Amino acid sequence: MSAISADTSGSLQVVLVKYGRTKIRYPAELLADDGTRVVVRAPWAGDDTRDFGFVRFEQGDVFTEYYWRDRWYAVKEVRDSGGVLKGWYCDVTRPATVSGGELVVEDLDLDLWRSADGRTVLRLDEDEFAASGLATTDPQAAAAAENALDELERLAREGDFEALLA
């Protein structure tokens, strides 16, 4: 694994894997890679608007995505086409790997949303995580995933969230 200096730009393919299959793949602009954290920017990769009830992801939205090689999550800052911050969508994942122009992360079902004003923090998809069977098939990974969600929630609620991304 080679680190790319923070001022080097380029592109990567972000590959999100779930249950051993590629869930989505999209091109992203590489903003920084310090050897531990990788930061990319990409437009909303979905074909259609996705309305979660608490936020809508739609054409024109821009995601600045933060991935770690040593943490079990990814944080995605979401802005609309005018640059207005919508909030942060956090995926609990295995630590990211970068190789051959691809940034690969394995989605572990758990998610967290923090609104732009910080007043709304939602733990998401805990039912999907429980149904995945990860606690049985890989108890260490399941524990790491649950700890990651707890850490993200603590940071989101206690005001240290933005410092995580600085």
Side-chain angles (χ1 to χ4, degrees), residues 1-14 28-42 63-69 75 96-98 102-103 164-166:
M1 136 184 83
S2 64
I4 300 168
S5 69
D7 62 353
T8 299
S9 62
S11 63
L12 287 173
Q13 285 285 314
V14 176
E29 174 190 2
L30 176 63
L31 300 179
D33 182 349
D34 66 8
T36 301
R37 186 178 78 174
V38 181
V39 183
V40 300
R41 182 175 299 129
F63 287 65
T64 302
E65 304 176 359
Y66 300 81
Y67 297 91
W68 286 265
R69 290 179 174 96
V75 177
T97 61
V98 178
E102 292 184 337
L103 185 152
L164 173 68
L165 308 178

Side-chain angles (χ1 to χ4, degrees), residues 19-161:
Y19 306 123
R21 288 200 224 146
T22 299
K23 179 178 175 182
I24 190 168
R25 169 189 295 271
Y26 54 92
E29 174 190 2
L30 176 63
L31 300 179
D33 182 349
D34 66 8
T36 301
R37 186 178 78 174
V38 181
V39 183
V40 300
R41 182 175 299 129
W44 165 240
D47 293 330
D48 299 316
T49 296
R50 180 112 188 253
D51 189 343
F52 290 94
F54 51 87
V55 67
R56 288 170 50 100
F57 296 160
E58 50 204 339
Q59 294 300 315
D61 286 351
V62 177
F63 287 65
T64 302
E65 304 176 359
Y66 300 81
Y67 297 91
W68 286 265
R69 290 179 174 96
D70 63 351
R71 297 185 188 184
W72 287 69
Y73 53 78
V75 177
K76 300 169 183 180
E77 179 185 276
V78 185
R79 293 183 179 271
D80 70 14
S81 61
V84 175
L85 179 64
K86 290 183 174 186
W88 295 269
Y89 194 90
C90 308
D91 288 319
V92 174
T93 67
R94 291 184 190 271
T97 61
V98 178
S99 178
E102 292 184 337
L103 185 152
V104 180
V105 289
E106 182 182 347
D107 185 347
L108 298 177
D109 290 315
L110 295 171
D111 302 297
L112 183 112
W113 170 255
R114 182 181 188 254
S115 62
D117 63 10
R119 286 188 253 177
T120 302
V121 176
L122 302 171
R123 293 171 70 106
L124 306 168
D125 303 327
E126 290 178 291
D127 55 338
E128 289 179 30
F129 177 75
S132 76
L134 190 64
T136 302
T137 60
D138 191 343
Q140 288 181 317
E146 290 171 330
N147 289 338
L149 183 63
D150 291 343
E151 178 183 349
L152 286 166
E153 182 180 22
R154 182 185 57 75
L155 291 168
R157 291 190 186 282
E158 293 178 3
D160 292 335
F161 199 75

